[in-house]
Amino acid sequence: IVSMGSAGRDAHSPSLVGLMGQNKTLISYYQGAELAAPSQRVRARQNVQRLIGDVAEGRLRVVIDRTYKLSEAAQAHAYIESRKQFGRVVMIPDERA
């Protein structure tokens, strides 16, 4: 499991005890430290650009759980709030769906 921060709005901290029983590892990266000083913002931007390049070159895959039309925004938000997704939930314009 790789974590790139915690963007949730609640203060819930999940228990990591379940990972130990399955011999899994959590790797976390706190980008807040990268944004603390102006000189570090350059490094953060470079990190994000590198990750975007990795996705474009196929070295890093973004897992998409579901796609919703924009007209289904309420359903998409309900699904996200259920915390059942594994990967990203993507909303696309209705004419592309």
Side-chain angles (χ1 to χ4, degrees):
I1 297 172
V2 177
S3 172
M4 286 292 289
S6 55
R9 288 183 231 157
D10 59 18
H12 173 72
S13 296
S15 171
L16 303 178
V17 174
L19 295 176
M20 291 185 286
Q22 300 171 31
N23 291 321
K24 292 187 177 179
T25 303
L26 172 67
I27 300 170
S28 182
Y29 175 74
Y30 177 64
Q31 192 152 350
E34 299 291 332
L35 301 174
S39 62
Q40 293 173 330
R41 290 185 192 124
V42 171
R43 191 169 120 187
R45 182 181 176 92
Q46 290 170 340
N47 284 338
V48 170
Q49 288 175 331
R50 181 181 48 79
L51 290 171
I52 290 170
D54 286 348
V55 170
E57 295 293 323
R59 292 185 299 266
L60 179 66
R61 285 186 342 123
V62 177
V63 177
I64 298 175
D65 181 305
R66 294 188 185 187
T67 27
Y68 289 90
K69 297 182 220 173
L70 286 175
S71 61
E72 300 171 328
Q75 294 96 318
H77 283 277
Y79 183 65
I80 292 167
E81 289 173 1
S82 76
R83 297 194 180 268
K84 293 179 183 175
Q85 86 269 8
F86 180 86
R88 297 294 172 200
V89 175
V90 178
M91 293 176 35
I92 57 174
D94 288 348
E95 61 270 6
R96 289 184 56 201

